[in-house]
């Protein structure tokens, strides 16, 4: 474990007012979004879409790192240049999603655990050789009647910690993503409670595995009421609940925090991040940024629709949405300049 390299990578990912672009949708998720947009669900169209993203002019002004999917890391542009090399040239650090999706938890089928630890050390070594310098593993926690169970929180935390340790042994910065889902009718207070419990257990397990915290990035959900609750929390409420929850559960030495958007609209996620920096900028012990997927990409995908003639307009939208999130991190976002 090269702790100096881990620190340098984490610092570069968290630098300035930039954030991360999660372009690591699984085949099934990407195909689902293509189907909704009327785009053919083929490897070639997925390649075209990822090419649109990595070749977007000016993307590096707002994005410090991009999380790729296994298929994507081997793909190339029309001119035969590997996407990972395009990112390197732009000064964007390539990362890789390494979990293999979720399955029902034995004994609690309404909850999920994440697969992918088997053979992970070999895969990580290969990805490092390809140029990836950070990785991501996602666990999902469900709020519901009697859920989450203590066993589910612990099982997911243990897997995240084992993954993180394996990453660092290969000098790859791990992003640990314990996502408390927005699904359900729970209140913001219930989300706060579950998010705090989940993150606290995660750091217990990370410590047990000897994970080097300055070389680690946490990717949490924002604290917000469930989508079915019919409760519209104010921007101020979400910002305060989220940051106070993190301050109570995340050690100060962690390399950084990069939020997932978790089903929020692009504008909602951006507003919430902005408000956190307005209210708490001088109280944050770690860098706080974004690691959005759909909240950055969906507007561009809606414009592209799989048509070559729409690529330039789609890229302009992609760069714009990333710039709005960068402005939010800087505390300079305004709804007046957003679309």
């Amino acid at each position: 474990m090269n702790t100096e390299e881990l620190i340098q990578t984490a610092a570069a990912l968290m630098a300035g007012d930039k954030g991360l672009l999660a372009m690591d949708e699984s085949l099934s998720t990407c195909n689902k979004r293509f189907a909704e947009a009327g785009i053919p669900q083929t490897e070639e169209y997925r390649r075209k879409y990822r090419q649109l993203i990595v070749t977007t002019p000016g993307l590096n002004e707002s994005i410090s790192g991009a999380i790729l999917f296994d298929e994507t890391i081997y793909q190339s542009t029309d001119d035969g240049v590997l996407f990972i090399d395009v990112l390197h040239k732009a000064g964007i650090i390539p990362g890789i999603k390494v979990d293999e999706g979720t399955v029902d938890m034995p004994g609690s089928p309404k909850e999920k655990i994440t697969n992918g630890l088997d053979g992970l050390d070999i895969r990580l070594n290969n990805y490092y050789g390809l140029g990836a310098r950070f990785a991501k593993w996602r666990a999902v926690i469900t709020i519901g009647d009697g859920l989450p169970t203590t066993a589910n929180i612990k099982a997911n935390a243990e897997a995240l910690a084992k993954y993180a340790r394996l990453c660092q042994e290969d000098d790859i910065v791990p992003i640990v993503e314990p996502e408390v889902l927005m699904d359900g009718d729970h209140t913001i207070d219930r989300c706060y409670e579950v998010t705090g419990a989940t993150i606290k257990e995660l750091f217990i397990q990370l410590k047990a595995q000897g994970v080097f915290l300055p070389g680690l990035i946490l990717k949490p959900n924002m604290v917000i009421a469930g989508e079915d609750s019919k409760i519209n929390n104010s921007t101020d409420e979400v910002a305060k609940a989220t940051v106070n929850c993190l301050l109570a559960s995340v050690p100060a030495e962690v390399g950084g925090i990069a939020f997932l958007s978790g089903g929020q609209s692009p504008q909602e996620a951006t507003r919430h991040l902005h408000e956190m920096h307005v209210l708490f900028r001088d109280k944050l012990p770690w860098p706080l940024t974004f690691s959005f997927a759909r909240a950055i990409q969906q507007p561009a995908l809606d414009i592209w629709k799989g048509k070559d003639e729409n690529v330039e307009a789609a890229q302009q939208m992609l760069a714009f949405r990333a710039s709005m999130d960068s402005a939010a991190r800087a505390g300079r976002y305004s709804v007046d300049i957003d679309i």
Side-chain angles (χ1 to χ4, degrees):
M1 182 190 298
N2 185 337
T3 56
E4 187 59 36
E5 181 177 354
L6 293 171
I7 289 173
Q8 289 176 357
T9 301
L13 290 169
M14 294 292 108
D17 295 321
K18 298 181 182 182
L20 308 179
L21 175 61
M23 49 180 290
D24 60 335
E25 297 89 352
S26 65
L27 299 185
S28 59
T29 298
C30 193
N31 286 341
K32 178 182 177 182
R33 292 178 186 172
F34 278 15
E36 291 170 351
I39 301 169
Q41 297 100 69
T42 66
E43 181 179 354
E44 174 58 12
Y45 272 89
R46 291 193 298 272
R47 187 198 67 81
K48 283 175 173 281
Y49 178 50
R50 269 59 185 264
Q51 175 177 253
L52 180 159
I53 295 172
V54 301
T55 61
T56 292
L59 189 63
N60 58 355
E61 295 174 10
S62 305
I63 299 297
S64 58
I67 310 170
L68 308 179
F69 185 65
D70 183 73
E71 177 183 71
T72 314
I73 202 169
Y74 297 103
Q75 289 176 326
S76 304
T77 65
D78 294 340
D79 297 330
V81 182
L82 285 168
F83 291 163
I84 201 165
D85 291 334
V86 175
L87 292 169
H88 274 303
K89 187 175 181 179
I92 297 174
I93 301 171
I96 182 73
K97 167 189 167 73
V98 297
D99 71 74
E100 296 180 340
T102 61
V103 295
D104 292 346
M105 181 175 173
S108 187
K110 292 184 178 180
E111 297 184 292
K112 303 291 184 181
I113 54 174
T114 305
N115 281 337
L117 288 174
D118 291 344
L120 179 57
D121 54 341
I122 297 172
R123 291 191 288 129
L124 287 168
N125 186 266
N126 176 57
Y127 289 137
Y128 187 92
L130 290 170
R133 290 298 177 265
F134 70 104
K136 191 199 84 170
W137 178 289
R138 175 177 179 254
V140 295
I141 305 297
T142 302
I143 298 179
D145 187 16
L147 303 179
T149 61
T150 301
N152 182 254
I153 290 175
K154 185 175 182 179
N156 277 306
E158 287 177 341
L160 279 163
K162 290 175 181 177
Y163 139 81
R165 177 68 192 198
L166 288 171
C167 282
Q168 292 188 338
E169 288 176 355
D170 273 311
D171 301 327
I172 289 175
V173 169
I175 293 182
V176 289
E177 180 178 349
E179 179 180 1
V180 176
L181 298 173
M182 284 179 63
D183 304 342
D185 60 0
H186 52 273
T187 64
I188 191 172
D189 291 339
R190 178 60 175 153
C191 183
Y192 183 106
E193 177 186 11
V194 172
T195 300
T198 298
I199 294 175
K200 286 176 182 176
E201 179 62 31
L202 171 60
F203 281 99
I204 289 172
Q205 298 302 327
L206 289 168
K207 181 179 180 180
Q209 289 294 327
V211 173
F212 180 62
L213 296 186
L216 171 139
I217 294 170
L218 174 68
K219 182 173 178 176
N221 54 281
M222 296 183 190
V223 176
I224 193 168
E227 289 182 310
D228 299 330
S229 68
K230 297 183 174 57
I231 300 171
N232 292 317
N233 299 126
S234 69
T235 302
D236 185 76
E237 284 178 312
V238 173
K240 288 181 177 178
T242 300
V243 176
N244 284 328
C245 182
L246 295 175
L247 288 171
S249 57
V250 181
E253 62 265 35
V254 166
I257 296 176
F259 288 107
L260 58 92
S261 52
Q264 299 177 75
S265 74
Q267 291 77 13
E268 284 175 329
T270 304
R271 286 199 308 269
H272 291 148
L273 179 64
H274 166 79
E275 192 69 11
M276 291 178 208
H277 282 282
V278 169
L279 295 175
F280 292 94
R281 178 172 296 279
D282 297 332
K283 301 177 182 178
L284 301 175
W286 4 251
L288 197 66
T289 191
F290 58 93
S291 179
F292 297 161
R294 201 165 187 177
I296 293 178
Q297 294 180 52
Q298 190 63 44
L301 182 63
D302 292 340
I303 290 171
W304 177 52
K305 298 185 183 300
K307 300 183 184 300
D308 292 344
E309 61 266 29
N310 295 338
V311 167
E312 183 177 354
Q315 288 181 326
Q316 290 173 352
M317 175 55 74
L318 187 77
F320 174 76
R321 281 258 51 92
S323 74
M324 290 295 96
D325 295 321
S326 178
R329 180 180 176 183
R332 296 194 303 265
Y333 172 76
S334 169
V335 293
D336 296 333
I337 60 173
D338 205 345
I339 295 175

